Amino acid sequence: MTRYIRHAAAFCALLLIALLVNATRVQVVQSDALDDNPANRRGAIVRFDQPRGDIVVDGRAVTGSKDTGEQLRYERTYKNGPLYAPVTGFASQVYGTTFLENAEDDILSGTDPMLAPLPLWNDITRAQNPGGKVVTTIKSAAQQAAYAGLGGKKGAVAAIEPSTGKILALVSTPSYDPERLSGTSKSVADSWAELNSSAAKPMLNRAIRQTYPPGSTFKVVTAAAALDAGVVTDLDAATRSPNPYTLPGTSTQLTNEVDGCTNASLRYAFQWSCNTVFAKLGVDTGLSDMAGTARNFGFNDSGLKIPSSVAASNFDTSMDKAQLALSAIGQYDTRATPLQMAMVSAAVANGGSVKSPYLVDRTTTRDGDVVDTTGTKSLRQAMNPATAMQLREMMTDVVEEGTGKNAAIPGATVGGKTGTAQHGIDNSGTPYAWFVSWAQAADAGEPAVAVAVVVEDASADRGDISGGGSAAPIAKAVMEAALKP
């Protein structure tokens, strides 16, 4: 009898060991795979079982959470959803997250370990932290001015504080309400299908994810390269610039939309946007110096994050002289996001120093205790400080006496550059209207804001001055809002 008891006990021990081994296999070895299994809804249930933390603009939350009583309990809500969609993105039970909702998801969902009261506290207690807050750098008045200025036209605005890199406005139109994608009902699926099939592409963040030919606004970069390289040493000296200008190695002639460009000085050519002068200036400066200056401004950088990723702006590093001439006036394959062109303007305003743009000032717990802050960081020196001063002078001339008069603000110093970018087969598309600028209050020691505006469907003329007519008034409104305390 004793032998049978020993055998039974041994068998039971083997079963217990097998059970423990299997439990270890499931809970340790296979835990990640099981957590990631689409059929496992526990993670989603836990994730949406508490309110999501808020995204904050000027001290006020522009997001919220609604208790539905459903299994995925809390749905995301948005205040002025279309206005802030390029900043917040969406948080959907079905379609995931984008932009700040994605980049700061750990803070907003409460899963960031830095939200815990003590190290390893959540691992021990298995508790879930309340969602934290993401405090943005956006200035609501500037955001509203940009949105109202675009008025539903296809386009975008980016505004930066030059000395810090803080993003003061980030607008893309036409926009959409992210709240339409909250929840699990059929209406959410219908909204997703409608938004994705729309020819207007309302969910495309044109400010940071769309690149455009920058047209004559790129002449800021070309002028910086030429001045730094010593190709031009006197802003008022005549240049050897024929009109029309035959692109090197071709029979194609480049012309101007304004008079007086033959052998014009750099100051005059910049003020009235002479294509012939700048095309030849790019060739004279050379590909190496042009590409190097473009890189220093931020072109060809695929790693920029704000913290959402930004599409890389492009300046080709392998071109013949004819292509370089076109690139020097913002055509050929040169492409830029509105944020990149705001960085160009900000560098001029900030003595040539390019600050890393950022959208999140700080993250906090639900109670307001700071978790992390974003400090000012220099990316590169785009040009010599003396060159930046010369460009500030020329950009001021554009607004006071040239093509950018519509951006002038009484009592403030404003610098700008207009641009019209042709595109499409044989340049048949409606030209994009551009304006880049910066503004400094009369009693301030440095410029407070740099802006880039692009309007896709401006019905603009093909002349360089059209950016001044369509985009400059929008930039003016944004700068005025940014200058107010």
Side-chain angles (χ1 to χ4, degrees), residues 48-118:
F48 296 104
D49 195 43
Q50 67 175 15
R52 191 168 172 83
D54 282 322
I55 297 172
V56 179
V57 173
D58 275 348
R60 297 182 179 180
V62 296
T63 57
S65 294
K66 178 175 67 177
D67 189 350
T68 65
E70 302 292 336
Q71 188 178 55
L72 302 182
R73 183 174 172 181
Y74 284 93
E75 293 180 3
R76 195 55 149 167
T77 60
Y78 296 87
K79 301 169 186 175
N80 294 322
L83 173 64
Y84 292 109
V87 176
T88 63
F90 61 78
S92 169
Q93 283 95 330
V94 180
Y95 301 109
T97 55
T98 58
F99 301 118
L100 280 189
E101 293 278 28
N102 175 263
E104 299 292 348
D105 182 64
D106 288 349
I107 288 289
L108 295 169
S109 65
T111 59
D112 192 315
M114 293 299 292
L115 295 171
L118 295 170

Side-chain angles (χ1 to χ4, degrees), residues 113-138:
M114 293 299 292
L115 295 171
L118 295 170
L120 303 179
W121 177 261
N122 291 353
D123 293 334
I124 297 171
T125 64
R126 309 301 293 176
Q128 185 177 7
N129 302 311
K133 296 179 181 179
V134 174
V135 181
T136 72
T137 59
I138 294 293

Side-chain angles (χ1 to χ4, degrees), residues 219 239 260-261 264-275 277-278 417:
K219 291 171 184 173
T239 60
C261 291
S265 68
L266 181 60
R267 187 189 301 276
Y268 183 93
F270 192 92
Q271 183 175 331
W272 296 104
S273 213
C274 297
N275 285 332
V277 174
F278 277 91
K417 181 70 190 79

Side-chain angles (χ1 to χ4, degrees), residues 190-205:
D190 292 342
S191 294
W192 177 259
E194 176 192 331
L195 290 170
N196 278 284
S197 63
S198 172
K201 298 182 179 180
M203 290 200 295
L204 172 63
N205 191 333

Side-chain angles (χ1 to χ4, degrees), residues 307-354:
S308 304
S309 60
V310 179
S313 297
N314 180 71
F315 185 84
D316 281 5
T317 57
S318 178
M319 293 183 281
D320 62 29
K321 289 184 177 181
Q323 294 163 341
L324 178 59
L326 292 175
S327 296
I329 60 172
Q331 298 289 166
Y332 185 53
D333 279 345
T334 303
R335 299 186 67 88
T337 63
L339 179 64
Q340 173 61 68
M341 294 314 297
M343 291 167 63
V344 168
S345 187
V348 173
N350 194 45
S353 176
V354 180

Side-chain angles (χ1 to χ4, degrees), residues 121 163 177 217 227 239 255 301 304 317 335 345 377 381 412 431:
W121 177 261
S163 62
D177 188 353
T217 59
L227 288 166
T239 60
T255 58
D301 182 357
L304 184 64
T317 57
R335 299 186 67 88
S345 187
K377 182 173 67 175
Q381 187 71 24

Side-chain angles (χ1 to χ4, degrees), residues 179-199:
E179 194 167 330
R180 295 179 63 187
L181 302 178
S182 298
T184 57
S185 65
K186 183 179 182 298
S187 65
V188 171
D190 292 342
S191 294
W192 177 259
E194 176 192 331
L195 290 170
N196 278 284
S197 63
S198 172

